[in-house]
Amino acid sequence: GPVLLRPVTDADLAALAALLPDDVELDPRAEQFPGLEDARDRQRRFAQALERTVRWSATHGVRAIIA
């Protein structure tokens, strides 16, 4: 069927983080929070890494991933 392309939103973060393979290394400099489950911490660190690689466009009202 047809493919729908749209900008990534904050609501997509959990689904995207769930697709992240366990062997993908995330930024080791990211602060660790004691007591936070490993899966939740990976999701948090993934979201932080993603946020550093996107640029907000006020004109278009979307975020674009910068490769």
Side-chain angles (χ1 to χ4, degrees):
V3 175
L4 172 65
L5 298 178
R6 63 172 177 75
V8 174
T9 67
D10 289 344
D12 299 319
L13 290 176
L16 290 173
L19 297 173
L20 195 64
D22 291 335
D23 61 348
V24 170
E25 293 185 19
L26 298 171
D27 188 350
R29 298 169 296 174
E31 185 177 359
Q32 302 268 332
F33 295 109
L36 190 61
E37 294 178 7
D38 287 341
R40 182 70 178 117
D41 188 53
R42 282 184 59 79
Q43 181 180 351
R44 179 190 60 80
R45 290 187 294 145
F46 169 74
Q48 286 178 333
L50 184 61
E51 193 62 33
R52 284 192 295 271
T53 62
V54 297
R55 180 174 297 151
W56 178 256
S57 169
T59 304
H60 297 93
V62 298
R63 287 183 276 183
I65 296 178
I66 301 168

